[in-house]
Amino acid sequence: MPTNEKEMNCYLFDQLTLVERIRREAQRGGMEAVLAQLDIEQAAIERKLYQKPPLISE
């Protein structure tokens, strides 16, 4: 969870960037392009989510 305003802004900026990318694909290529872009974005998120070392120390 974000702990300060800077982390929250980074999180929201990432979400805004994602929406902009998907909207661009929808305008250019319709549903197939959107689904392809969603696959790319999901892979990028999973790489961040499962990165080593973990984001928090235990």
Side-chain angles (χ1 to χ4, degrees):
M1 287 290 182
T3 58
N4 60 43
E5 186 176 353
K6 182 177 179 181
E7 288 181 59
M8 181 61 77
N9 283 341
C10 288
Y11 176 70
L12 293 173
F13 184 73
D14 285 344
Q15 288 183 326
L16 181 58
T17 300
L18 178 64
V19 169
E20 290 169 345
R21 288 177 182 162
I22 294 169
R23 184 181 310 276
R24 183 174 53 242
E25 290 303 318
Q27 291 170 345
R28 284 197 291 188
M31 185 57 73
E32 288 182 24
V34 169
L35 292 173
Q37 187 65 32
L38 285 170
D39 288 340
I40 293 167
E41 299 300 339
Q42 181 176 352
I45 292 167
E46 288 173 351
R47 277 193 304 276
K48 290 178 185 177
L49 185 61
Y50 300 116
Q51 69 182 345
K52 303 270 187 221
L55 295 175
I56 56 174
S57 58
E58 296 176 11

